Amino acid sequence: MKSAIIACFLYFLLSTAFTSPSNAGDALTPRRPISDDGSTLTSDGGRFQLGFFSPVAGSPNRYIGIWYNISVRTVVWVANRRSPVTGRSGRLSMSENGTLLLTDGRSSTIYWSSSSLALQEPEARVLENGNFVVMENGSNPSSSAAWKSFDHPTDTLLPGMKLGWNLSTGLNRNLTSWATSGDPSPGDYVAGIDVAGVPQLLVWSGTRQIWRGGSWNGIGFSGIPVMRQDNTLTQNNALTLHYEFASNADEAVYWFYLENSTSLLRLVLNGSGLLERFLWYDFGKRWMPLGAAPDTSRNPCDERVSSCGANGVCGPRASTCTCLQGFRLNSRRTWGDGCERELPTAGCRSRNDTFVTVNNTKLPDTSKATVNRSTASLDMCRDWCLRNCSCTAYAASNLSGNGSGCLIWTSDLYDLTLYDNEDPGQDLYVRQVESRALNKGLSANSLLRRASVLIIVSVVLVAFLLSLLSCWIWRRKKRSLYCDEEETEGKDLDLPLFDLNTIAEATNNFSENNKLGQGGFGPVYKGRLVEGQEIAVKRLSKTSSQGVDEFKNEVMLIAKLQHRNLVRLLGCCIQGGERILVYEYMPNGSLDAFLFDGAKSTLLDWKMRQDIILGIARGLLYLHQDSRLRIIHRDLKASNVLLDKEMTPKISDFGMARIFGEDIEGNTRRVVGTYGYMSPEYAMHGIFSVKLDVFSFGVLLLEIITGRKNRGVYHSTLYLNLLGHIWSLWKEGKVMELVNESIDHSLSAAEILRCIKIGLLCVQERPRDRPTMYSVLKMLDNDNALEIEPSQPGFVDFRGPLHQTNLSIRKQDLSRNYVSVTMPQGR
Ligand SMILES: *[C@@H]1O[C@H](CO)[C@@H](O)[C@H](O)[C@H]1NC(C)=O
Ligand SMILES: *[C@@H]1O[C@H](CO)[C@@H](O)[C@H](O)[C@H]1NC(C)=O
Ligand SMILES: *[C@@H]1O[C@H](CO)[C@@H](O)[C@H](O)[C@H]1NC(C)=O
Ligand SMILES: *[C@@H]1O[C@H](CO)[C@@H](O)[C@H](O)[C@H]1NC(C)=O
Ligand SMILES: *[C@@H]1O[C@H](CO)[C@@H](O)[C@H](O)[C@H]1NC(C)=O
Ligand SMILES: *[C@@H]1O[C@H](CO)[C@@H](O)[C@H](O)[C@H]1NC(C)=O
Ligand SMILES: *[C@@H]1O[C@H](CO)[C@@H](O)[C@H](O)[C@H]1NC(C)=O
Ligand SMILES: *[C@@H]1O[C@H](CO)[C@@H](O)[C@H](O)[C@H]1NC(C)=O
Ligand SMILES: *[C@@H]1O[C@H](CO)[C@@H](O)[C@H](O)[C@H]1NC(C)=O
Ligand SMILES: *[C@@H]1O[C@H](CO)[C@@H](O)[C@H](O)[C@H]1NC(C)=O
Ligand SMILES: *[C@@H]1O[C@H](CO)[C@@H](O)[C@H](O)[C@H]1NC(C)=O
Ligand SMILES: *[C@@H]1O[C@H](CO)[C@@H](O)[C@H](O)[C@H]1NC(C)=O
């Protein structure tokens, strides 16, 4: 069965890309002006329109603007933002030579005009990318436009539109916010590319820098760490966003585009000076915020540029200042004045100087830095810095690939910020004055200090040796008392330890034919023991941080968990570097093979689906509450639910985190899970509790009812997410449309609705709103009306309670550094 995602995406495509070009061929010519009577110019595909508008309904102020032809009026460009026409007498016309003029029909006041042109047979058109161009009749608009609105942006950057400088002509394209949402006149903020030194993204208020987005590192701006993961949104093949930057003798520009997609995307400098990115959500008929920069909840240092002064370091996590190593706070002791070198540098510094690495930073202000893009390695960069007496620090300029290029600073370092470990920053190498110079400067006082340090060190050393000795003696004594403890330990294992040969024999030497599948922890094989018993063999491919004994111990504890709805662990094998788990064999395979397969899914009627849901809930409750261990599964999904020959669902792969010796509850640096089933707090922060499993259970329940996959879709493709889809239909009271065709709704509509509601309660964004498995079972078992109403699911909208943590984080936390994520396979 095609997944919901594909279907939705097609719908989305159809609804935006192939709109009828009713006004195809619209052009403004000297003989065809536009009056304020509702007439418009429409782009060939019908996506953009140009005409007169008022930002506030009923206002007499009229502007010429370009907007998307969608149900929410979204203006992307305004011609006469400073001087509105009052009343409906405005007229946009073109002089014979192609110059555009906005006049008032009665007086001949010119409200706005384009630059003066000298064309023979001019015409003006709105292109399908939103660009309004003036050109010779019939010429190619993308190459020979004489004037284009993309060169005069207002507050919005569209895909393909450039922000920054054409250095040969001095044209500077920057964004200026609207004064207010009802007034397009220039507001307080300007965002643009500053070309002093090494080009940087900056936001100003007047002449004051509000925020430094930083220099381009080959992947993104140094001050927007999330761009390093965002560059290509490959999580869903449907939408790939590319960020580009060009810096050479001709231009210094940033732009972005969507690959093979007609989705509507825009970047806006909003009235608070933030760059916000939006994607049009066609189901919801609204703009979905995809995140904003700067994100001061993430990086408080972005509240102010250079708050720690020269050579100060801000962060991480809080806007607290420290001095770089080798520097101390100035004598006035105010951070604004920054830090000065502890040792004055006399003349040119030595080629023997060393560098300290400052890890994970937003690189300092590059307005006085120099770049050499052809430097091949960091070592060469270091040499370049050492050779230049005034070089204070260096860093790689291009992180794409293996890292290349060289940035050097030859002045004090400003606005250096540390990111916390969640954000990918860049390493900066700061020059230290050669230590030999230090020795020469030693005074009697510091000699004394050195002597006392020596004494303390020796005392500590002696104490340490003494304690080591006593420890050794104690252990010897202990061992003689309990000498045979180690031997007996192995014996009380009531878990069968399989021999590797037995398992190899049972699985035909792990033959491909016996392979049942590839789980997150390694391949699974079907096997048959000599006695005839069928088994499933999981050959762990991942190395565990555990020693053999701990591993055995955990396996034994897990094996003790026995419940009708859990796959039984029969034993294990630890031999020859192999770690193998042996489970009972489930003849009907995994639930996903039934749910998402057109033919097989018809076998599952409502009663069976209900039983499966109940079984999973019971198994999970046992793991959470009734077992001795209190296990959080962390990776509950359709492919981890197996079916025995009576179609009883059994949860598999539980306790893997324990087996791998990872933290039991709380917070993990290593997010293990599957897109689509991960709760927001887990995917974003690695926080997990039983409520993570409740979330995954909710997703699974909704999948069981709809027969559709909740594919892992974060930010860019949110509108394609099953949860979002269910939620919007739920709100419209049309959710029954999504119930799988093989379920006869007519008989059990109330039950199904109730079940969907329980599913929605489980996937609520805030963990505390989600019920426990105990309440879920009570709700499932009982058919009284459910009073409680679900709130919005996680991952549907960023304007929920987690809004301050914008999507950038999600992407970031899903970085390959600490995440092992299984993608559900398409079918
Ligand atoms: C605007 O879009 C709608 C569909 O969304 C389409 O039917 C209509 O023709 C478009 N308008 C123009 C002027 O192209
Ligand atoms: C084009 O026409 C406008 C208005 O008629 C005039 O002001 C302008 O000087 C002309 N430009 C050139 C290059 O002739
Ligand atoms: C453009 O030129 C062609 C012939 O070269 C003519 O048929 C057409 O009407 C012109 N279009 C406009 C808008 O002037
Ligand atoms: C800069 O502008 C000139 C004039 O419009 C144009 O010919 C040139 O191609 C532009 N340079 C770049 C790099 O876009
Ligand atoms: C923004 O661009 C305009 C037009 O090029 C220019 O006049 C203005 O100085 C620029 N502002 C900044 C802050 O760069
Ligand atoms: C985009 O389309 C081109 C040509 O059709 C294709 O080669 C490329 O793989 C597509 N890219 C993605 C991300 O789908
Ligand atoms: C600007 O964007 C930020 C972040 O999305 C938002 O919190 C703020 O309200 C926006 N400001 C305006 C005026 O829209
Ligand atoms: C650099 O170090 C080497 C060996 O340690 C030493 O011989 C040389 O004099 C030093 N150079 C300077 C400029 O201090
Ligand atoms: C910086 O990172 C490097 C390698 O990533 C590591 O060896 C070094 O210890 C780190 N330094 C600090 C101060 O954390
Ligand atoms: C840039 O680096 C390369 C290789 O390190 C070097 O050959 C070249 O001279 C450098 N260019 C400048 C301007 O320093
Ligand atoms: C050091 O580098 C800066 C910036 O590239 C340059 O202006 C300066 O001349 C260099 N100094 C020396 C001694 O090479
Ligand atoms: C950055 O490095 C990548 C990979 O080596 C390379 O393709 C790209 O051209 C480099 N960018 C610049 C601006 O040198």
Side-chain angles (χ1 to χ4, degrees):
M1 182 198 276
K2 284 280 176 223
S3 69
I5 315 311
I6 306 271
C8 298
F9 190 70
L10 281 178
Y11 169 67
F12 179 81
L13 275 181
L14 288 170
S15 60
T16 57
F18 308 120
T19 45
S20 60
S22 55
N23 289 325
D26 271 6
L28 174 72
T29 64
R31 272 157 299 281
R32 288 229 307 269
I34 294 177
S35 312
D36 192 359
D37 54 5
S39 48
T40 56
L41 281 185
T42 303
S43 62
D44 275 357
R47 179 185 288 211
F48 287 98
Q49 286 183 328
L50 175 141
F52 284 90
F53 75 100
S54 290
V56 181
S59 153
N61 288 349
R62 305 292 289 171
Y63 299 88
I64 280 285
I66 298 175
W67 56 85
Y68 288 100
N69 174 25
I70 49 176
S71 53
V72 178
R73 162 70 58 88
T74 311
V75 174
V76 298
W77 182 76
V78 183
N80 55 323
R81 63 187 304 186
R82 287 165 199 275
S83 34
V85 180
T86 312
R88 303 249 170 176
S89 56
R91 210 169 80 113
L92 179 66
S93 59
M94 181 183 267
S95 67
E96 290 298 330
N97 62 21
T99 309
L100 297 171
L101 293 170
L102 175 61
T103 53
D104 181 326
R106 286 165 309 202
S107 64
S108 51
T109 318
I110 296 176
Y111 288 86
W112 173 83
S113 69
S114 66
S115 49
S116 168
L117 303 176
L119 298 176
Q120 303 297 317
E121 211 182 324
E123 64 172 24
R125 287 177 185 276
V126 180
L127 306 182
E128 195 55 4
N129 61 4
N131 197 0
F132 180 43
V133 297
V134 181
M135 59 196 172
E136 285 296 356
N137 171 7
S139 65
N140 178 356
S142 50
S143 57
S144 51
W147 180 92
K148 50 183 183 244
S149 64
F150 273 15
D151 280 345
H152 309 275
T154 50
D155 67 337
T156 302
L157 199 68
L158 296 171
M161 193 170 166
K162 288 177 172 178
L163 183 72
W165 293 77
N166 177 332
L167 294 169
S168 15
T169 58
L171 171 71
N172 176 18
R173 287 150 295 199
N174 53 34
L175 303 178
T176 310
S177 61
W178 282 29
T180 65
S181 63
D183 179 2
S185 64
D188 291 338
Y189 302 101
V190 175
I193 303 294
D194 184 26
V195 285
V198 177
Q200 303 187 85
L201 172 66
L202 283 174
V203 175
W204 295 267
S205 169
T207 55
R208 192 163 59 93
Q209 289 183 10
I210 294 298
W211 174 63
R212 196 175 60 85
S215 52
W216 187 257
N217 60 28
I219 306 175
F221 290 105
S222 167
I224 315 180
V226 295
M227 285 178 91
R228 272 178 78 175
Q229 260 86 38
D230 259 357
N231 189 30
T232 307
L233 306 177
T234 48
Q235 279 161 26
N236 186 307
N237 298 334
L239 211 61
T240 307
L241 173 58
H242 294 273
Y243 302 126
E244 302 288 342
F245 193 82
S247 175
N248 50 46
D250 298 327
E251 55 180 354
V253 289
Y254 163 71
W255 75 100
F256 61 90
Y257 65 92
L258 281 167
E259 185 174 341
N260 299 354
S261 171
T262 52
S263 300
L264 310 186
L265 185 70
R266 64 195 171 100
L267 179 72
V268 178
L269 179 67
N270 81 11
S272 328
L274 277 87
L275 289 164
E276 270 187 303
R277 200 183 292 275
F278 293 94
L279 182 75
W280 177 247
Y281 171 44
D282 206 50
F283 289 121
K285 297 271 174 263
R286 65 200 163 85
W287 289 98
M288 182 82 73
L290 291 188
D295 182 355
T296 49
S297 68
R298 191 83 177 144
N299 184 3
C301 295
D302 276 346
E303 298 274 5
R304 220 144 63 79
V305 174
S306 201
S307 54
C308 298
N311 309 307
V313 186
C314 184
R317 275 192 182 277
S319 111
T320 48
C321 296
T322 46
C323 286
L324 278 169
Q325 188 173 324
F327 290 78
R328 62 168 172 236
L329 187 56
N330 64 80
S331 52
R332 289 163 303 283
R333 310 203 62 76
T334 54
W335 283 108
D337 291 332
C339 308
E340 52 201 25
R341 279 206 185 268
E342 279 171 350
L343 295 166
T345 59
C348 188
R349 267 169 276 152
S350 160
R351 295 280 294 272
N352 288 356
D353 281 354
T354 56
F355 291 86
V356 287
T357 311
V358 186
N359 286 357
N360 215 32
T361 72
K362 165 178 168 181
L363 292 182
D365 190 348
T366 57
S367 60
K368 293 202 181 76
T370 313
V371 67
N372 181 346
R373 294 187 207 283
S374 50
T375 308
S377 71
L378 263 184
D379 283 344
M380 287 164 83
C381 188
R382 179 196 161 96
D383 282 350
W384 193 33
C385 184
L386 277 176
R387 277 201 302 273
N388 188 320
C389 290
S390 41
C391 176
T392 49
Y394 72 91
S397 70
N398 182 1
L399 299 179
S400 168
N402 296 329
S404 59
C406 184
L407 263 175
I408 63 165
W409 284 261
T410 45
S411 59
D412 285 332
L413 303 176
Y414 284 93
D415 200 31
L416 173 60
T417 298
L418 299 181
Y419 292 129
D420 68 27
N421 294 330
E422 319 253 305
D423 280 329
Q426 213 178 319
D427 294 346
L428 176 74
Y429 305 89
V430 179
R431 190 174 203 153
Q432 301 293 298
V433 175
E434 198 218 343
S435 54
R436 281 156 55 94
L438 229 163
N439 295 350
K440 280 185 221 128
L442 277 182
S443 63
N445 197 344
S446 59
L447 276 176
L448 207 75
R449 245 191 351 244
R450 290 183 112 201
S452 53
V453 165
L454 213 74
I455 292 168
I456 292 172
V457 165
S458 15
V459 167
V460 168
L461 210 73
V462 168
F464 177 71
L465 285 175
L466 276 176
S467 62
L468 214 69
L469 192 73
S470 53
C471 207
W472 181 69
I473 293 172
W474 182 79
R475 278 197 59 164
R476 272 183 66 113
K477 265 172 79 180
K478 183 166 181 261
R479 204 175 268 183
S480 59
L481 282 175
Y482 305 102
C483 64
D484 49 8
E485 190 192 51
E486 278 168 356
E487 265 94 316
T488 53
E489 221 180 310
K491 284 178 190 147
D492 56 28
L493 254 181
D494 48 8
L495 172 81
L497 279 176
F498 286 85
D499 183 63
L500 188 55
N501 288 334
T502 314
I503 293 187
E505 202 174 313
T507 57
N508 242 330
N509 211 4
F510 301 105
S511 98
E512 274 298 306
N513 293 338
N514 284 40
K515 198 163 165 183
L516 293 171
Q518 175 78 34
F521 300 93
V524 183
Y525 300 88
K526 183 181 173 178
R528 184 187 289 272
L529 297 176
V530 197
E531 310 88 82
Q533 188 188 4
E534 287 188 310
I535 53 172
V537 169
K538 189 186 284 279
R539 191 179 194 184
L540 302 181
S541 53
K542 233 188 63 179
T543 46
S544 154
S545 58
Q546 305 250 59
V548 168
D549 287 342
E550 288 160 306
F551 180 79
K552 265 191 215 163
N553 204 26
E554 287 302 333
V555 170
M556 198 172 70
L557 287 173
I558 301 294
K560 282 188 177 149
L561 299 178
Q562 293 190 10
H563 186 272
R564 186 179 139 76
N565 296 110
L566 298 184
V567 175
R568 208 168 146 201
L569 181 59
L570 301 175
C572 67
C573 167
I574 312 164
Q575 209 176 320
E578 292 270 6
R579 292 192 179 188
I580 291 170
L581 298 175
V582 179
Y583 291 95
E584 59 176 329
Y585 175 69
M586 291 289 134
N588 270 323
S590 62
L591 178 59
D592 64 331
F594 276 87
L595 277 186
F596 308 126
D597 179 290
K600 274 178 153 181
S601 73
T602 58
L603 301 173
L604 298 177
D605 62 11
W606 174 237
K607 179 73 182 60
M608 283 173 90
R609 288 181 200 240
Q610 230 178 348
D611 287 346
I612 289 171
I613 292 170
L614 264 175
I616 299 169
R618 292 197 180 113
L620 208 50
L621 175 64
Y622 174 81
L623 286 179
H624 284 180
Q625 199 170 320
D626 298 337
S627 72
R628 296 183 307 145
L629 292 179
R630 191 181 159 86
I631 298 262
I632 299 170
H633 191 297
R634 290 169 65 176
D635 196 14
L636 183 68
K637 54 180 167 183
S639 58
N640 273 341
V641 173
L642 305 183
L643 299 164
D644 72 2
K645 60 179 187 299
E646 270 103 42
M647 295 295 278
T648 311
K650 293 183 187 246
I651 300 173
S652 76
D653 263 4
F654 52 88
M656 290 314 261
R658 285 191 71 110
I659 287 179
F660 283 104
E662 276 151 19
D663 34 6
I664 305 304
E665 185 163 2
N667 201 311
T668 180
R669 296 225 51 81
R670 225 182 61 81
V671 175
V672 183
T674 304
Y675 286 143
Y677 293 92
M678 283 195 263
S679 61
E681 75 280 4
Y682 183 57
M684 286 190 291
H685 307 299
I687 297 170
F688 68 101
S689 65
V690 291
K691 295 300 182 69
L692 161 64
D693 282 352
V694 172
F695 185 95
S696 311
F697 173 80
V699 173
L700 186 50
L701 182 156
L702 294 170
E703 289 183 336
I704 292 174
I705 295 179
T706 58
R708 295 166 194 233
K709 251 183 203 173
N710 186 45
R711 204 168 282 251
V713 276
Y714 299 92
H715 57 323
S716 60
T717 44
L718 278 169
Y719 51 91
L720 305 175
N721 180 313
L722 175 63
L723 297 187
H725 196 23
I726 292 186
W727 176 245
S728 56
L729 290 182
W730 170 264
K731 282 192 298 186
E732 292 164 28
K734 296 197 292 199
V735 77
M736 289 302 278
E737 286 175 14
L738 274 179
V739 172
N740 192 262
E741 310 84 63
S742 53
I743 303 179
D744 185 355
H745 328 159
S746 55
L747 291 177
S748 27
E751 269 176 12
I752 294 170
L753 266 180
R754 190 187 153 77
C755 216
I756 292 176
K757 191 170 184 180
I758 295 171
L760 285 171
L761 286 170
C762 291
V763 296
Q764 291 177 100
E765 182 153 24
R766 277 183 307 216
R768 65 163 184 275
D769 293 345
R770 296 175 211 143
T772 59
M773 283 318 293
Y774 179 71
S775 329
V776 168
L777 259 172
K778 276 207 317 205
M779 290 189 270
L780 286 171
D781 268 342
N782 177 322
D783 45 32
N784 293 338
L786 265 179
E787 299 297 339
I788 176 166
E789 285 301 319
S791 63
Q792 175 154 299
F795 287 139
V796 172
D797 189 352
F798 294 106
R799 296 212 182 273
L802 289 163
H803 180 231
Q804 73 277 20
T805 53
N806 69 42
L807 90 114
S808 26
I809 299 155
R810 291 149 214 248
K811 191 62 194 292
Q812 153 50 25
D813 282 327
L814 296 172
S815 79
R816 56 194 117 86
N817 298 340
Y818 1 89
V819 185
S820 114
V821 177
T822 356
M823 284 295 278
Q825 282 115 40
R827 268 163 209 280

